[in-house]
Amino acid sequence: MSNLRPLSSALLFALWASLSIVLPAASAQSPGAAAVVPPPKSMQELLDGSSPSDWRALDPANTLYMELAGGRVVIELAPAFAPAHVANIRTLAHEHYWDGLSIYRSQDNFVVQFGDPTEDEKARKPIGNAKAQLPAEFTRESEGLAFDRLPDSDGWAPEIGFSGGFPVARDPKSGQAWLAHCYGTLGAGRDVAADSSNGTELYVVDGQSPRQLDRNITVVGRVVQGMELLSVTPRGPQPMGFYDEPGLRTPIRSIALAADLPEAERTPLQLLRTDTPVFAQVVESRRNRKDAWYKVPAGHIDLCNVPLPVRAPPPAQPAE
């Protein structure tokens, strides 16, 4: 039984209703009068008109805080796609593995990478109670996975959409689904062997979406806030962006699991749910731009160009 959920009939109806114009009866118009067509709503107007139920809070048990000199990077983990890696990453963060390590690679238009750059295995930082080797988690079975499909085609997968707020590709023939390498994606570096990752060496995509990496490496999450702190990291030398001099590396003050911090020290954020009518409307507002500036609406959007709105929780309304 297929679990594919294309933007459902309810979502499509809501989208149609939000974009449709109800014209007054012809008899009510004066001869030759033109119907007044209101301008289409912008993405911000759609978000401003959203309901609290259209948003979800980050789960502290699946949220990492990466502290740099310039501020905090907030990362959402994806245990539904990489449960073994996420469990190991939680352990590593809980035991402060990354504290004092660094971003040691910044390759132009590709990734920033962080962890322990020491090549001598015996001299590397101990990983404590984390597992030294993990299975490859490049894909997962699509059966049982909620999947809201985009209407457009994709050169990298038969079907594309979102699941739990993450950009996802799906192949109905193989019954497999996987996280896509979009801007802000967090992945686990590996060696040649597929199962050679343990989650200690992580990278974040900060360039053109390298979708050729899909199904070849384990994706463990995505950055939801603070990409500007990573994207300005000075580029390392060609060809791979690894810094020749340790002094060029960006120090990591700490990486902590939000659940391990007092609530007062957490960053409260809400993410727009990707299974709602308002998200379908936001997608349409971006894939088929009809504002005055656009002369030729594209009528198409790439998976990695779909905006995933994030906001601080609105102030609580006083009780009447």
Side-chain angles (χ1 to χ4, degrees):
M1 178 178 178
S2 173
N3 67 319
L4 172 63
R5 296 197 304 163
L7 293 179
S8 65
S9 57
L11 291 183
L12 289 174
F13 178 80
L15 174 58
W16 172 84
S18 71
L19 298 177
S20 297
I21 306 300
V22 179
L23 298 179
S27 59
Q29 295 182 14
S30 60
V36 177
V37 180
K41 290 184 178 181
S42 67
M43 185 178 87
Q44 190 57 54
E45 288 172 328
L46 291 168
L47 296 179
D48 290 342
S50 64
S51 301
S53 60
D54 294 321
W55 299 82
R56 63 183 177 90
L58 282 172
D59 180 1
N62 290 311
T63 303
L64 293 178
Y65 295 147
M66 180 183 193
E67 306 291 353
L68 304 175
R72 172 177 284 180
V73 179
V74 182
I75 297 167
E76 182 178 29
L77 299 174
F81 287 86
H85 279 75
V86 168
N88 228 40
I89 288 169
R90 286 197 194 107
T91 298
L92 291 164
H94 182 70
E95 297 181 356
H96 306 283
Y97 171 78
W98 287 285
D99 297 12
L101 294 179
S102 65
I103 297 173
Y104 59 81
R105 176 190 184 191
S106 178
Q107 185 172 349
D108 188 46
N109 197 33
F110 192 41
V111 300
V112 294
Q113 188 168 333
F114 57 93
D116 186 350
T118 306
E119 296 184 7
D120 183 357
E121 288 292 333
K122 295 181 180 180
R124 293 176 66 85
K125 188 173 183 177
I127 63 173
N129 292 309
K131 295 181 179 179
Q133 189 173 21
L134 300 172
E137 294 180 298
F138 302 164
T139 66
R140 59 152 287 170
E141 292 185 1
S142 56
E143 184 69 26
L145 179 71
F147 184 77
D148 295 296
R149 185 178 173 185
L150 285 178
D152 296 316
S153 60
D154 181 70
W156 300 98
E159 297 167 353
I160 51 172
F162 292 86
S163 181
F166 290 90
V168 173
R170 182 182 186 272
D171 183 357
K173 290 185 178 180
S174 68
Q176 298 293 302
W178 57 93
L179 292 171
H181 273 80
C182 296
Y183 185 78
T185 290
L186 178 74
R190 67 170 176 87
D191 207 333
V192 175
D195 61 350
S196 55
S197 168
N198 60 15
T200 58
E201 306 305 309
L202 300 175
Y203 64 88
V204 174
V205 175
D206 68 342
Q208 176 69 24
S209 306
R211 296 285 302 282
Q212 75 278 3
L213 296 180
D214 291 2
R215 293 182 289 178
N216 285 288
I217 199 164
T218 299
V219 175
V220 298
R222 68 183 182 95
V223 174
V224 298
Q225 189 178 79
M227 270 303 297
E228 69 278 5
L229 301 173
L230 300 176
S231 61
V232 298
T233 305
R235 299 315 190 233
Q238 293 295 334
M240 300 287 286
F242 291 95
Y243 296 118
D244 296 329
E245 301 178 16
L248 298 176
R249 298 169 185 162
T250 300
I252 297 173
R253 292 180 174 176
S254 66
I255 294 182
L257 198 63
D260 288 340
L261 299 180
E263 188 170 356
E265 296 180 18
R266 300 174 189 173
T267 301
L269 292 176
Q270 292 181 342
L271 285 68
L272 186 67
R273 288 173 47 199
T274 55
D275 60 347
T276 59
V278 71
F279 181 73
Q281 295 167 27
V282 166
V283 171
E284 183 62 18
S285 75
R286 306 303 292 178
R287 71 182 289 272
N288 200 22
R289 297 288 294 271
K290 296 179 180 179
D291 52 81
W293 190 90
Y294 274 84
K295 309 308 178 187
V296 183
H300 181 96
I301 195 166
D302 182 86
L303 172 64
C304 291
N305 283 340
V306 174
L308 295 168
V310 181
R311 73 178 187 181
Q317 298 296 321
E320 296 182 357

